[in-house]
């Protein structure tokens, strides 16, 4: 494989949740615009745009969940750690994140059970006739991807020696 | 002592919150604990609740309003609104402070988010205030306080979430927020003015004396930008648009003004705006998914009924019950992010309101205003974080700076609690929410 091709693949791998979630949000907005336009001009909406926009939204939520995990910006309460030295904080953080990863996998597994049984007896969506299982597949996928990105972040930070910044608040970083 | 399932769920939730587990996962883990030990529901309820919780059409309005707000910032619309307001009040005592609050009020009618408003208006006005000799503390605290108004003035993302979870009409909530929103805005302006007077901050020296012709020229130049809030609010209030449609209209209008009129919007800005919307989906709306699951468990355990019984044993007076809830919200607000608080509490509190006899619209407004305080109270006050980054001072210093504004907000909350008509008069007069 040429160097260019590997660098493209590398870029895709690094950013694909971002590309996927932005595309989904874009599709969602486009569908909604079509819907409003059709309703105002033609008098009645296009039913498929409503359905597609909801599906796109669902995909956006779960692909972006992995992206947010990569940025380390999921909503969590961290103020209780402020009085603790960063080294201890890091210990707690790694402990918590390990539990998080385990439950991510567990939820993905239970969710996959539902999706795969849904694929055996496919249920079609009302207007687009998409198998519901394919749409819902994003849920287990999102949870697995989240775990993957959490582990990856730890590995990258460990290599760069920036592990401690994971648990530092914005204003503490500025002090240095 | 044998623990009931409900006790186990709540303890698990508390422990994981304290450990710093992401909120959405803490909710999911508590639900898994209940499913394991309760054994009354199949595990498939996890997947199905998460899916059902997010498969709700009105939720789509939330990322759309965020996208619209971001587009307006890139498309120079925010800039032009600030310019017009500055010419009107810039020369008074603390003129730029008042400008900030007014610009936030205006911008709030476009965007649905508090921190988004601080970022949009603060980026322009914090440096301007510092240049004009205002202290950094004042500049940062006015901007973070102004940003709270965004929650109350429609369109408002917390209100959309409240309406969906509490089964209240979104349009009725939006209408109800109108008068309280302006009331809070006015009180904030007075606070900004009096703090500036005490500290001796004069008006903006760079603003030339008021000149009607220049003023009219500015208005003419920014005509389309100034029209934005009227287009969005008008479309909702006239009943022409549902909130989702209004959000889409806001995006379309922002793109029209940004591309055709101001010629400032580039494709990269559109991409960034879509990314903003996506990030909000992944960080906040994901919580809606797992909280639906958590809520199902609580309902199964009859938690809302038990809570109602416990509160009723303290008092049955709606006002006192409201004050109790406000107290809890203020404390929770110090540690939790606004939307998460609403997502978690509304399903639990709603059944109680009916028992005690509190109007759901009135309660929604109280909930939203109290959550405005949450944006300003450390340790977790999102507006403080945004302002601290923009003004380059510590969160602690801003926290002290916002104290007068917090006092003003608290006064507003009490007024709104004891005079429900301020919130309910407009929607009921217009025949909504019945």
């Amino acid at each position: 494989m040429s160097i260019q091709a590997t660098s493209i693949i590398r870029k895709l791998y690094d950013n694909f949740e971002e590309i996927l979630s932005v595309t989904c949000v874009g599709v969602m907005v486009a569908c909604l615009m079509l819907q409003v336009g059709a309703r105002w001009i033609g008098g009645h909406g296009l039913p498929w745009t409503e359905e597609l926009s909801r599906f796109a939204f669902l995909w956006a939520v779960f692909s972006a969940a992995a992206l947010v995990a990569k940025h380390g910006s999921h909503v969590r309460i961290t103020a209780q750690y402020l009085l603790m030295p960063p080294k201890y904080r890091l210990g707690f953080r790694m402990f918590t994140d390990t539990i998080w990863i385990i439950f991510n996998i567990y939820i993905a597994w239970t969710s996959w059970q539902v999706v795969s049984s849904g694929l055996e007896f496919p249920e079609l969506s009302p207007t687009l006739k998409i198998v519901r299982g394919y749409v819902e597949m994003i849920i287990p996928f999102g949870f697995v991807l989240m775990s993957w990105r959490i582990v990856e972040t730890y590995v990258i930070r460990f290599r760069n020696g920036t592990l401690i910044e994971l648990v530092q608040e914005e204003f503490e970083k500025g002090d240095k | 002592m044998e623990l009931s399932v409900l006790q186990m769920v709540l303890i698990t939730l508390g422990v994981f919150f304290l450990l710093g587990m992401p909120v959405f996962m803490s909710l999911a883990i508590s639900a898994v604990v209940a499913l394991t030990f309760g054994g009354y529901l199949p595990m498939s309820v996890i997947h199905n609740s998460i899916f059902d919780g997010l498969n709700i059409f009105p939720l789509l309005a939330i990322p759309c309003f965020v996208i619209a707000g971001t587009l307006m910032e890139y498309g120079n619309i925010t800039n032009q609104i600030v310019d017009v307001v500055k010419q009107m009040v810039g020369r008074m005592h603390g003129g730029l402070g008042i400008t900030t609050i007014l610009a936030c009020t205006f911008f709030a009618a476009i965007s649905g988010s508090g921190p988004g408003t601080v970022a949009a208006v603060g980026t322009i006005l914090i440096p301007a205030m510092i240049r004009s000799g205002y202290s950094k503390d004042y500049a940062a605290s006015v901007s973070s306080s102004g940003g709270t108004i965004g929650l109350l003035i429609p369109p408002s993302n917390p209100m959309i979430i409240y309406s969906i979870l509490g089964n209240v009409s979104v349009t009725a909530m939006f209408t109800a927020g109108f008068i309280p929103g302006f009331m809070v805005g006015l009180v904030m302006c007075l606070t900004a003015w009096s703090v500036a007077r005490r500290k001796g901050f004069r008006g903006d020296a760079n603003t030339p004396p008021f000149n009607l012709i220049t003023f009219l020229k500015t208005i003419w130049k920014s005509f389309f930008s100034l029209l934005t809030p009227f287009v969005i609010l008008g479309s909702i209030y006239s009943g022409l648009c549902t909130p989702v449609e209004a959000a889409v209209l806001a995006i379309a209008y922002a793109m029209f003004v940004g591309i055709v009129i101001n010629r400032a919007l580039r494709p990269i800005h559109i991409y960034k705006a879509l990314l903003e919307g996506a990030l909000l989906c992944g960080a906040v709306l994901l919580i809606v998914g797992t909280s639906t699951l958590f809520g199902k468990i609580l309902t199964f355990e009859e938690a809302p009924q038990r809570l109602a019984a416990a509160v009723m044993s303290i008092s049955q007076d709606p006002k006192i019950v409201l004050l109790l809830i406000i107290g809890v919200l203020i404390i929770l607000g110090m540690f939790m992010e606004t939307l998460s608080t609403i997502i978690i509490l509304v399903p639990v509190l709603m059944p109680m309101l009916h028992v005690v006899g509190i109007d759901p619209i009135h309660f929604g407004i109280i909930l939203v205003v109290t959550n405005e305080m949450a944006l300003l109270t450390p340790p977790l006050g999102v507006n403080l974080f945004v302002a601290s980054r923009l003004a380059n001072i510590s969160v602690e210093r801003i926290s002290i700076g916002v104290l007068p504004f917090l006092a003003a907000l608290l006064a507003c909350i009490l007024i709104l609690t004891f005079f429900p008509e301020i919130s309910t008069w407009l929607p009921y007069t217009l025949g909504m929410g019945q």
Side-chain angles (χ1 to χ4, degrees):
Chain A
M1 214 186 314
S2 68
I3 297 167
Q4 206 178 6
T6 38
S7 87
I8 289 175
I9 290 174
R10 176 85 220 169
K11 243 188 174 147
L12 265 179
Y13 166 75
D14 278 341
N15 297 307
F16 94 96
E17 304 98 324
E18 184 174 317
I19 299 165
L20 180 62
S21 59
V22 167
T23 312
C24 288
V25 172
V27 168
M28 179 184 94
V29 171
C31 280
L32 292 172
M33 282 185 171
L34 261 176
Q35 189 187 7
V36 176
R39 199 168 72 89
W40 282 1
I41 297 165
H44 47 81
L46 305 163
W48 64 268
T49 56
E50 201 248 342
E51 203 172 285
L52 186 56
S53 62
R54 264 189 295 118
F55 292 165
F57 169 68
L58 192 76
W59 276 61
V61 169
F62 285 93
S63 47
L67 182 63
V68 176
K70 197 164 90 179
H71 293 178
S73 47
H74 270 292
V75 183
R76 62 207 306 172
I77 302 169
T78 52
Q80 67 277 27
Y81 288 130
L82 278 180
L83 297 172
M84 208 183 267
K87 233 183 179 162
Y88 291 96
R89 270 188 237 169
L90 186 62
F92 273 105
R93 172 71 173 246
M94 290 173 89
F95 171 70
T96 312
D97 283 355
T98 312
I99 303 177
W100 180 13
I101 292 169
I102 294 170
F103 273 94
N104 269 346
I105 304 290
Y106 176 73
I107 291 175
W109 179 73
T110 58
S111 167
W112 177 249
Q113 307 279 313
V114 181
V115 173
S116 58
S117 72
L119 286 179
E120 270 172 52
F121 307 98
E123 183 189 333
L124 298 182
S125 70
T127 55
L128 285 171
K129 308 289 178 214
I130 302 176
V131 178
R132 242 185 80 158
Y134 291 135
V135 176
E136 296 179 16
M137 222 175 252
I138 191 70
I139 299 181
F141 181 66
F143 275 101
V144 171
L145 195 58
M146 237 187 289
S147 302
W148 177 251
R149 290 301 191 188
I150 299 166
V151 174
E152 190 189 35
T153 310
Y154 272 107
V155 172
I156 292 173
R157 283 190 179 268
F158 180 73
R159 273 199 208 139
N160 299 343
T162 54
L163 215 47
I164 205 80
E165 281 175 22
L166 206 59
V167 289
Q168 281 175 326
E169 303 289 331
E170 278 298 322
F171 60 91
E172 289 175 316
K173 285 179 199 161
D175 287 347
K176 278 189 282 186
Chain B
M1 195 185 76
E2 191 73 6
L3 285 176
S4 74
V5 176
L6 181 61
Q7 281 167 328
M8 276 198 282
V9 168
L10 294 180
I11 292 171
T12 314
L13 188 70
V15 168
F16 279 106
F17 273 180
L18 267 181
L19 271 175
M21 179 70 75
V23 170
F24 88 92
M25 206 12 116
S26 306
L27 291 165
I29 295 175
S30 314
V32 170
V33 167
L35 291 174
T36 313
F37 291 96
Y40 39 69
L41 287 172
M43 282 298 175
S44 60
V45 76
I46 300 179
H47 173 90
N48 291 332
S49 309
I50 293 177
F51 178 79
D52 292 341
L54 288 170
N55 194 16
I56 297 173
F57 191 64
L59 275 180
L60 272 58
I62 296 173
C64 289
F65 277 126
V66 171
I67 296 168
T70 317
L71 286 175
M72 310 225 174
E73 211 181 316
Y74 288 128
N76 257 343
I77 296 181
T78 320
N79 245 328
Q80 294 183 334
I81 291 177
V82 169
D83 219 37
V84 171
V85 179
K86 203 161 103 185
Q87 290 207 17
M88 274 154 57
V89 294
R91 284 161 317 283
M92 295 165 68
H93 264 290
L96 285 180
I98 301 173
T99 307
T100 308
I101 306 271
L102 287 180
C104 283
T105 313
F106 229 82
F107 190 76
I110 300 169
S111 134
S113 108
T117 310
V118 183
V121 177
T123 312
I124 305 165
L125 280 170
I126 290 180
M129 278 190 266
I130 296 171
R131 267 201 311 276
S132 309
Y134 291 52
S135 69
K136 278 185 175 180
D137 303 47
Y138 180 80
S141 49
V142 168
S143 311
S144 36
S145 309
T148 63
I149 302 171
L151 300 196
L152 208 47
I153 293 193
S156 147
N157 289 340
M159 278 190 195
I160 298 177
I161 298 258
Y162 172 75
S163 308
I164 294 171
L165 298 174
N167 206 6
V168 182
S169 141
V170 183
T171 313
M173 278 307 297
F174 278 3
T175 316
F178 199 76
I179 298 175
F182 278 95
M183 186 182 103
V184 173
L186 190 69
V187 172
M188 289 277 195
C189 279
L190 285 173
T191 318
W193 175 77
S194 68
V195 173
R197 243 188 98 108
R198 216 177 45 236
K199 300 233 164 127
F201 301 138
R202 307 214 149 264
D204 180 16
N206 303 328
T207 309
F210 185 78
N211 179 325
L212 191 66
I213 296 170
T214 338
F215 182 61
L216 288 178
K217 267 190 190 153
T218 319
I219 288 199
W220 178 245
K221 208 179 73 198
S222 342
F223 180 73
F224 283 96
S225 300
L226 290 173
L227 208 60
T228 320
F230 298 98
V231 171
I232 298 169
L233 291 188
S235 70
I236 299 174
Y237 286 147
S238 63
L240 207 63
C241 283
T242 63
V244 176
E245 291 170 345
V248 176
L249 182 69
I251 294 179
Y253 190 78
M255 285 175 65
F256 164 72
V257 177
I259 295 171
V260 181
I261 308 286
N262 290 347
R263 294 165 196 270
L265 215 52
R266 304 271 169 273
I268 180 76
H269 297 146
I270 297 176
Y271 179 83
K272 279 187 179 165
L274 291 176
L275 181 61
E276 258 337 286
L279 287 175
L280 177 102
C281 286
V284 178
L285 295 178
L286 181 62
I287 306 176
V288 176
T290 54
S291 83
T292 313
L293 170 65
F294 184 72
K296 203 163 247 170
I297 304 289
L298 287 186
T299 321
F300 238 86
E301 289 294 325
E302 302 191 323
Q305 289 84 339
R306 292 190 202 185
L307 178 73
V311 171
M312 298 283 278
S313 69
I314 301 175
S315 168
Q316 304 207 2
D317 182 355
K319 298 267 175 350
I320 295 184
V321 172
L322 267 181
L323 289 177
L324 278 175
I325 297 177
I326 290 169
V328 172
L329 280 173
I330 291 177
I331 294 169
L332 274 181
M334 294 177 184
F335 303 97
M336 283 182 63
E337 189 264 342
T338 323
L339 283 174
S340 343
T341 323
I342 295 184
I343 295 166
I344 296 171
L345 284 185
V346 169
V348 188
L349 291 177
M350 273 334 257
M352 185 171 83
L353 298 186
H354 295 294
V355 181
V356 186
I358 298 171
D359 186 287
I361 291 182
H362 179 212
F363 178 71
I365 296 295
I366 300 281
L367 185 71
V368 171
V369 192
T370 316
N371 268 308
E372 289 192 347
M373 284 185 74
L375 293 172
L376 294 179
T377 45
L380 186 88
V382 191
N383 281 12
L384 300 179
F385 298 161
V386 179
S388 116
R389 217 175 47 228
L390 293 175
N392 206 9
I393 63 169
S394 73
V395 172
E396 291 94 316
R397 272 174 65 190
I398 312 179
S399 316
I400 298 169
V402 294
L403 283 177
F405 296 95
L406 276 175
L409 257 180
L410 191 61
C412 289
I413 294 174
L414 292 177
I415 294 173
L416 288 169
T417 306
F418 286 101
F419 300 97
E421 296 78 15
I422 302 175
S423 322
T424 54
W425 177 76
L426 194 59
Y428 286 142
T429 310
L430 297 175
M432 294 168 187
Q434 300 291 20

